[in-house]
Amino acid sequence: MLLWATLLVLAPTSGQFATAPKPVISLHPPWTTVFQGETVTLTCNGFHFYAPKKTKWYTGNYRGRVLRETSGNILEVRENGRYRCQAENSPLSDPVLLTFSAAPLILQAPLSVFEGDSVVLRCRAKEKIQPDNVKFFKNGELLAPLDENTEFNIHHASLRDNGQYLCTGNEKNRSYHFYSESIRIQVQELFPRPELTASLSQTRDESHVTLSCKTQLHPQKSNVGLQFCFFRNNQALESGCSNSPRLQISAMWNEYSGFYQCKAGTGISGVWKESQISQIHRQTTHCQDSHTCQFYLIRSCCQSPNTLEGDLKPINFSWFKKVGEKKKVMVSSEAKFNILVVQSSDAGEYNCKTGWITSKPVIVNVKVPVSQPVLNFSPRKTHILEGDQVKFHCGVRRGSPQILYQLFREDILLQETKSSLNSASFSSNVSQTGNYYCTVNNGLGPNRSKALTLFVVVPVSQPVLTLHTTEAQTIEGDVLTLHCEAHRGSLPVLYRFYHEDIFLNSRKVPPGVGASFSFSLTAEHSGNYYCTADNGFGPRRSETMSLSVIVPVSLPILTLRMPRDQAVVGDMMELHCEAQRGSPPILYQFYHEDEILGSSQATSGGGASFKLTLTEEHSGNYLCEASNVQKAQRSNTKILSVKVPVSRPVFTLKAPRAPAVVGDVVELRCEALRGSPPILYQFYHEDVNLGNSPAPSGSGASFNLILTTEHSGNYSCEADNGLEVLHSEVMTLRVTVPVSRPVLTLSAPRAQAVVGDEMELHCEALKGSPPILYRFYHENVTLRNDSAFSEGGASFKLFLTEEHSGNYSCEADNGLGAQHSEVVTLFITGLTENRSGAVATGVTGALLSMVGLVAGALLFYFWLSRKAGEKSATDVSRSPSDSQPQETTYHNVPAWIELQPVYINVNPREGDVVYSEVQRNQEKNKHTAASTPRSLRNKESSVIYSQVKVVCTPASRDQQPLESSQMSSRDFSAAVSNSASQCSHGGGDY
């Protein structure tokens, strides 16, 4: 009968099992680094059977006071810190480090990374920054350039993905480089390597071996489903993998002897791990006298073959082991011999004896699995220089030969060798920092040493210097950032910055990060820059970078250059624009009312100019603009008024009738059709200035005259706006004077006219333009018609008869209306005296007496007037024409002779009438003087009116007080007449 002896050799377990579940913090969003101002929501997870009513949150030193206690398991935070949570009596969670960064560029990674995870690293820039040419680095080595893509994917994370990560990028269309802070990615085990165990069980019918594949998921991944697979001699058992970590096999089947192994893994993440290989060994021996002796290294027994386990009779058993060549030692007296822990000393020859029956010997060979190896290296230095030769030594305490030794770096096989010794050595020129370990395997499963971290010092490569400003151009006042980075090199790197060989600053930073230095630009910062990098093995210098600092233009000054003080149409004007500060070239642009006139670029200092010939349309606002960067500066506005010289004025005379008559109001108007206001208009009569009138708005001006005889002549006007004075053409005005009431004078040789005397009749109108037609009447019967073509009137003589007594009169007419004299009565006496002659003489004497009284009153009136005006030089009493010897003159004098003022200047829009000067010059005619009454032939002196004010009211337009200092009776009458006329036409204050 067959006797089974089964040997199950199992390797020790690697990995650790969690003994006490603790809460786990999860994040939303799932990043450990975010920008300042953002919010991260923390959730305290890991409670399967209850939801915590309250959760305590800690930050920093968790043994300190509680940061906050929340109802539920959620907390929102906005500040840097290491956060932990605790629910009621649960353990404290592992800390979670959150960073709220103010940097322009950050690298975001998930809180936890497990084996098999698909990991996304996101390079994120602040708002308004569009990163370009994004690059990711691991431990200072470039992973991949991503251009516009800002994410890097680790599709199947493993322990080899551990390391320091950072990202870089420059702003789109600009040369400045941004660098994120580095973060460490530590990939955690999803579950430890499984351990294969076996247990033997027996029933009445057969024996069974139960295989167990033991491992445990990480608490944060407890929801992941594991699959278990069992293998014999690399062939899958049963139907493949299942969710059960156990498999039972029959111990009676001979084919189940061999090498066993199990695997555990997840189908989603694709993480699979294998147990060490275990061997189940079968041996068979025969016992004498039908007794069966079964021997197991784990469990052994010796019993009768034909009896069931429950029917065994008491038998004495003895187990012997041969020691040396002849000696045997009893090792047990039980029916079963168990060796709980197999050791190399247990190897040898065994048999069992019951009574007189002794079994055949069984030789047991014990193969010892290798123990955990120990790895060390030489020479023992803190830092190993890249390329140095290092000798690795991997040794075990025990293990049956042959042993396979293998050397790894970050799960990458470097070297391997087989040896019968308990150690092996490897020599390698190391070039990378990393975790090194060795494995050993003598066929009973591999065993792995603890990892040794070797820091391989890499000398710095040539650093790269980049210059960056906030704008596309380097402008004075901007902040310049110098960034120096060596893409290769370990240990902290000391970076130094230089400007024209002058040391500026230094920074010492971890490897793979680079250093930056910032300052505000001035014009003196133009020049060459470079940096050096040194990690203790000699400095390396970057290439030189040139920088030209643009000085923005200052506020430009606009100057208008003209040939005279006043801009005039036709002048050539030069506009000069100059900025006192600013880097050339400077573009100058000239504007008129926000419309560009032209531009000019100045490649050096001095500004720029622009010329134009002025027209009237060039009046307005001018400015200039200077620019040498993106922003331009505009000068202050200059206002230009282009003056137009006056054109030749047009002079017009407007009279109410033709021809013009004394007393008419004539309007003299002067207007220049072109010319910049204000224009001063001056009016002339025979080159004598009559007056002036300004036109502020540029229209023409008018001047009014009340005509007198002296106003006949040539008239013109003049226009002056300060640029040019032009005269109008000359116009001739002839003023026609209507005849005044004529004075009839009867001259006889004696006081009493007598028949036969020769009497002269003289008719004269003191005023009136010739020719004047004079008609003489006697009792309304025409005696004679005479025309006078000059002053002096008309006369004719007749010899008196008795019929010539009666009433005489005369008439004067120059076409403007006939005027009749007063009637003069003549009494003629005969040569013989009679009563009628006496009566006539009496009557005539009485009439002469009355005429004398009237004449005396008039002379007294005029004398008083001249006395008041201090004009005694022209007094009537001193006129030589006063003495007419022994001639009797009969004359008639009008009660009032209307005289007109010579000039009048009335501004109807003002309340006052201001007379600057009124003058009347009257040429004397000898003939007129001889026949003109004494009281009417005086020469009037100049009269100066200080002010004449006529007040018209609706209640009474008659009350017109006149204020005067000196005025003759005729001119005073003219002023009153003119004022009354003005009031009669609507009036007001003049």
Side-chain angles (χ1 to χ4, degrees):
M1 193 170 194
L2 295 177
L3 294 175
W4 291 82
T6 306
L7 175 64
L8 180 62
V9 181
L10 300 177
T13 304
S14 65
Q16 296 179 350
F17 299 97
T19 58
K22 62 174 67 175
V24 176
I25 297 177
S26 62
L27 308 178
H28 180 76
W31 315 111
T32 56
T33 303
V34 295
F35 284 118
Q36 287 182 353
E38 296 181 335
T39 301
V40 177
T41 301
L42 308 181
T43 303
C44 193
N45 300 307
F47 312 105
H48 303 290
F49 304 107
Y50 69 97
K53 295 181 179 179
K54 289 186 179 180
T55 302
K56 293 181 179 179
W57 297 90
Y58 301 86
T59 184
N61 182 4
Y62 66 90
R63 291 186 177 89
R65 66 183 181 86
V66 177
L67 170 68
R68 191 176 302 172
E69 187 174 71
T70 62
S71 59
N73 60 341
I74 294 176
L75 175 68
E76 291 185 349
V77 294
R78 295 180 179 85
E79 296 179 356
N80 296 336
R82 298 173 66 89
Y83 293 90
R84 294 171 180 259
C85 70
Q86 182 182 32
E88 298 177 0
N89 295 323
S90 74
L92 279 168
S93 68
D94 290 330
V96 172
L97 176 62
L98 292 182
T99 302
F100 292 85
S101 175
L105 193 70
I106 60 174
L107 178 61
Q108 293 183 315
L111 173 62
S112 301
V113 178
F114 290 92
E115 294 173 306
D117 284 355
S118 181
V119 181
V120 176
L121 303 180
R122 187 167 75 163
C123 194
R124 184 181 168 202
K126 274 189 174 180
E127 292 184 4
K128 299 182 180 178
I129 296 179
Q130 296 181 348
D132 192 13
N133 194 24
V134 177
K135 298 178 182 178
F136 285 81
F137 294 84
K138 175 188 175 184
N139 297 330
E141 299 292 333
L142 177 65
L143 291 175
L146 301 179
D147 295 328
E148 295 185 0
N149 189 8
T150 58
E151 293 183 352
F152 180 79
N153 293 313
I154 302 174
H155 296 290
H156 194 273
S158 65
L159 297 179
R160 70 183 63 183
D161 295 313
N162 291 342
Q164 294 285 341
Y165 290 79
L166 63 85
C167 69
T168 67
N170 57 279
E171 192 169 358
K172 208 165 197 177
N173 301 324
R174 297 185 180 179
S175 59
Y176 176 68
H177 291 278
F178 299 106
Y179 292 80
S180 71
E181 294 291 336
S182 63
I183 60 173
R184 179 167 183 81
I185 300 295
Q186 182 68 48
V187 181
Q188 303 182 60
E189 279 191 330
L190 183 63
F191 54 88
R193 185 177 184 180
E195 177 186 3
L196 178 63
T197 61
S199 62
L200 180 65
S201 62
Q202 257 184 317
T203 63
R204 184 179 298 273
D205 298 326
E206 58 182 343
S207 298
H208 296 88
V209 175
T210 301
L211 302 176
S212 298
C213 194
K214 294 182 179 179
T215 188
Q216 185 174 353
L217 285 166
H218 192 281
Q220 294 186 40
K221 295 289 187 177
S222 58
N223 58 340
V224 176
L226 284 178
Q227 296 286 311
F228 299 92
C229 307
F230 294 88
F231 299 88
R232 181 184 69 83
N233 298 331
N234 291 328
Q235 297 295 321
L237 298 177
E238 298 297 328
S239 59
C241 301
S242 67
N243 295 329
S244 174
R246 294 178 180 83
L247 179 65
Q248 191 178 68
I249 61 175
S250 174
M252 299 303 291
W253 295 351
N254 294 338
E255 61 268 23
Y256 278 94
S257 177
F259 294 95
Y260 284 78
Q261 189 180 31
C262 73
K263 291 183 180 180
T266 63
I268 298 176
S269 62
V271 178
W272 289 89
K273 295 185 180 182
E274 299 175 347
S275 70
Q276 293 185 355
I277 297 175
S278 299
Q279 184 180 18
I280 298 178
H281 182 68
R282 172 179 62 81
Q283 287 187 357
T284 305
T285 187
H286 298 279
C287 292
Q288 298 177 6
D289 299 331
S290 302
H291 281 82
T292 301
C293 218
Q294 295 180 349
F295 177 79
Y296 298 91
L297 284 179
I298 293 180
R299 175 179 287 177
S300 301
C301 67
C302 190
Q303 59 184 12
S304 298
N306 295 325
T307 58
L308 296 175
E309 185 177 353
D311 298 333
L312 291 177
K313 294 180 181 180
I315 300 176
N316 294 324
F317 295 96
S318 299
W319 289 91
F320 296 91
K321 178 184 177 184
K322 184 178 179 179
V323 179
E325 291 294 329
K326 296 181 179 179
K327 184 179 180 180
K328 290 185 178 181
V329 178
M330 188 177 74
V331 294
S332 179
S333 59
E334 300 294 329
K336 295 179 180 180
F337 177 50
N338 297 324
I339 301 176
L340 300 178
V341 179
V342 179
Q343 299 180 0
S344 58
S345 60
D346 293 324
E349 182 183 288
Y350 291 85
N351 66 349
C352 65
K353 184 179 180 180
T354 173
W356 52 268
I357 301 174
T358 301
S359 69
K360 290 182 178 182
V362 175
I363 298 176
V364 176
N365 294 318
V366 178
K367 189 172 183 179
V368 180
V370 291
S371 62
Q372 184 179 16
V374 176
L375 178 68
N376 52 46
F377 65 93
S378 63
R380 300 290 295 184
K381 295 190 298 185
T382 306
H383 300 296
I384 300 171
L385 190 63
E386 182 184 34
D388 285 354
Q389 189 176 59
V390 176
K391 187 174 184 179
F392 294 92
H393 182 77
C394 185
V396 294
R397 291 183 180 180
R398 55 186 174 82
S400 300
Q402 290 263 18
I403 302 175
L404 175 64
Y405 293 92
Q406 292 179 319
L407 179 66
F408 291 86
R409 178 182 60 80
E410 301 290 357
D411 296 337
I412 300 174
L413 178 63
L414 299 178
Q415 298 180 38
E416 65 179 10
T417 185
K418 285 186 178 182
S419 175
S420 300
L421 303 177
N422 61 350
S423 66
S425 297
F426 305 95
S427 293
S428 176
N429 293 326
V430 296
S431 60
Q432 294 184 9
T433 296
N435 297 318
Y436 290 77
Y437 63 90
C438 67
T439 62
V440 293
N441 192 351
N442 62 351
L444 299 178
N447 208 342
R448 173 176 168 172
S449 70
K450 292 183 179 179
L452 291 177
T453 302
L454 266 67
F455 293 96
V456 178
V457 177
V458 180
V460 293
S461 60
Q462 183 183 17
V464 176
L465 176 66
T466 55
L467 309 179
H468 169 73
T469 58
T470 54
E471 301 292 337
Q473 295 174 302
T474 51
I475 304 172
E476 184 182 40
D478 283 352
V479 175
L480 174 68
T481 299
L482 287 75
H483 184 81
C484 188
E485 182 174 0
H487 292 296
R488 293 186 72 251
S490 55
L491 299 180
V493 181
L494 178 63
Y495 292 96
R496 290 185 174 93
F497 299 89
Y498 295 88
H499 173 223
E500 302 291 357
D501 295 330
I502 298 174
F503 173 74
L504 296 177
N505 208 317
S506 63
R507 295 282 192 275
K508 192 170 186 178
V509 296
V513 176
S516 297
F517 171 61
S518 300
F519 55 89
S520 295
L521 287 173
T522 64
E524 291 73 20
H525 286 133
S526 294
N528 297 320
Y529 290 82
Y530 66 88
C531 67
T532 62
D534 186 5
N535 64 343
F537 298 94
R540 296 289 303 274
R541 174 172 168 166
S542 70
E543 294 182 355
T544 300
M545 298 286 293
S546 295
L547 178 70
S548 178
V549 180
I550 298 175
V551 179
V553 293
S554 59
L555 190 72
I557 298 174
L558 176 64
T559 306
L560 306 181
R561 298 173 179 173
M562 293 168 291
R564 62 187 96 191
D565 294 337
Q566 176 64 55
V568 180
V569 169
D571 286 350
M572 177 71 72
M573 181 177 70
E574 179 184 16
L575 290 83
H576 183 77
C577 188
E578 183 174 357
Q580 301 298 323
R581 294 183 72 251
S583 300
I586 300 174
L587 177 64
Y588 291 96
Q589 291 183 307
F590 299 88
Y591 292 87
H592 173 227
E593 300 294 353
D594 292 331
E595 291 189 5
I596 189 168
L597 296 173
S599 61
S600 178
Q601 191 172 56
T603 56
S604 60
S609 297
F610 179 78
K611 293 181 179 181
L612 56 87
T613 302
L614 294 177
T615 65
E616 189 174 0
E617 290 74 19
H618 285 136
S619 294
N621 298 319
Y622 287 82
L623 59 86
C624 68
E625 181 179 88
S627 63
N628 63 348
V629 289
Q630 293 179 348
K631 294 182 179 179
Q633 291 271 26
R634 286 196 168 190
S635 69
N636 293 327
T637 301
K638 293 278 189 178
I639 301 175
L640 178 68
S641 178
V642 180
K643 295 293 186 180
V644 181
V646 293
S647 59
R648 188 172 187 181
V650 176
F651 179 67
T652 56
L653 290 171
K654 295 181 181 179
R657 69 186 105 180
V661 180
V662 168
D664 287 349
V665 177
V666 176
E667 179 186 11
L668 288 72
R669 180 165 181 80
C670 189
E671 183 174 3
L673 300 181
R674 292 183 68 252
S676 299
I679 301 175
L680 178 65
Y681 292 97
Q682 301 196 63
F683 297 88
Y684 293 91
H685 174 222
E686 302 292 354
D687 296 330
V688 177
N689 192 325
L690 297 177
N692 57 62
S693 179
S697 61
S699 58
S702 297
F703 187 80
N704 293 333
L705 282 179
I706 299 178
L707 294 179
T708 65
T709 55
E710 289 79 5
H711 289 146
S712 293
N714 296 323
Y715 287 83
S716 64
C717 70
E718 179 182 272
D720 181 8
N721 66 345
L723 301 177
E724 193 169 356
V725 179
L726 289 180
H727 290 269
S728 69
E729 294 182 353
V730 176
M731 293 192 69
T732 303
L733 175 66
R734 182 174 178 274
V735 180
T736 303
V737 181
V739 292
S740 59
R741 194 170 189 181
V743 176
L744 178 62
T745 305
L746 305 180
S747 300
R750 65 191 81 213
Q752 175 61 49
V754 179
V755 174
D757 286 346
E758 183 182 40
M759 184 176 67
E760 181 182 14
L761 286 81
H762 181 79
C763 186
E764 182 179 358
L766 299 181
K767 291 175 60 181
S769 298
I772 301 174
L773 177 63
Y774 290 98
R775 295 185 180 91
F776 295 89
Y777 297 94
H778 175 235
E779 298 295 349
N780 294 325
V781 175
T782 303
L783 297 177
R784 185 185 176 95
N785 295 330
D786 283 330
S787 294
F789 294 93
S790 61
E791 296 181 357
S795 302
F796 81 93
K797 296 180 181 180
L798 57 83
F799 290 95
L800 297 178
T801 65
E802 291 184 4
E803 290 80 8
H804 286 142
S805 294
N807 295 319
Y808 288 82
S809 65
C810 70
E811 181 182 81
D813 187 5
N814 63 351
L816 299 178
Q819 294 286 341
H820 287 270
S821 69
E822 293 185 1
V823 176
V824 176
T825 304
L826 177 64
F827 297 98
I828 302 174
T829 60
L831 294 176
T832 304
E833 294 185 4
N834 50 29
R835 185 180 177 195
S836 60
V839 173
T841 301
V843 172
T844 300
L847 289 173
L848 291 175
S849 298
M850 292 177 65
V851 171
L853 290 175
V854 172
L858 289 174
L859 288 174
F860 183 75
Y861 172 80
F862 286 116
W863 180 81
L864 288 178
S865 298
R866 284 164 175 75
K867 192 68 174 177
E870 296 180 358
K871 298 179 181 178
S872 60
T874 58
D875 194 284
V876 176
S877 61
R878 299 183 183 182
S879 176
S881 61
D882 289 345
S883 59
Q884 288 293 337
Q886 300 177 1
E887 182 178 346
T888 301
T889 302
Y890 301 89
H891 61 273
N892 55 359
V893 179
W896 182 260
I897 299 176
E898 180 181 350
L899 300 178
Q900 298 291 339
V902 178
Y903 303 112
I904 181 169
N905 185 354
V906 181
N907 185 352
R909 288 173 293 182
E910 300 294 338
D912 296 333
V913 177
V914 178
Y915 295 83
S916 58
E917 183 175 7
V918 179
Q919 230 177 20
R920 176 177 175 84
N921 296 320
Q922 211 173 19
E923 295 183 1
K924 294 186 178 181
N925 184 287
K926 294 181 179 180
H927 298 289
T928 306
S931 58
T932 301
R934 186 181 308 139
S935 61
L936 300 178
R937 292 203 304 266
N938 64 316
K939 178 181 178 182
E940 296 180 359
S941 62
S942 298
V943 180
I944 298 176
Y945 296 84
S946 60
Q947 185 177 25
V948 179
K949 184 169 183 180
V950 181
V951 179
C952 297
T953 62
S956 174
R957 298 187 181 270
D958 304 352
Q959 300 176 2
Q960 301 170 20
L962 284 83
E963 299 174 8
S964 63
S965 58
Q966 296 176 358
M967 183 181 296
S968 67
S969 60
R970 188 180 66 179
D971 295 334
F972 184 82
S973 174
V976 172
S977 175
N978 185 46
S979 299
S981 173
Q982 295 288 350
C983 287
S984 65
H985 288 83
D989 290 343
Y990 290 86

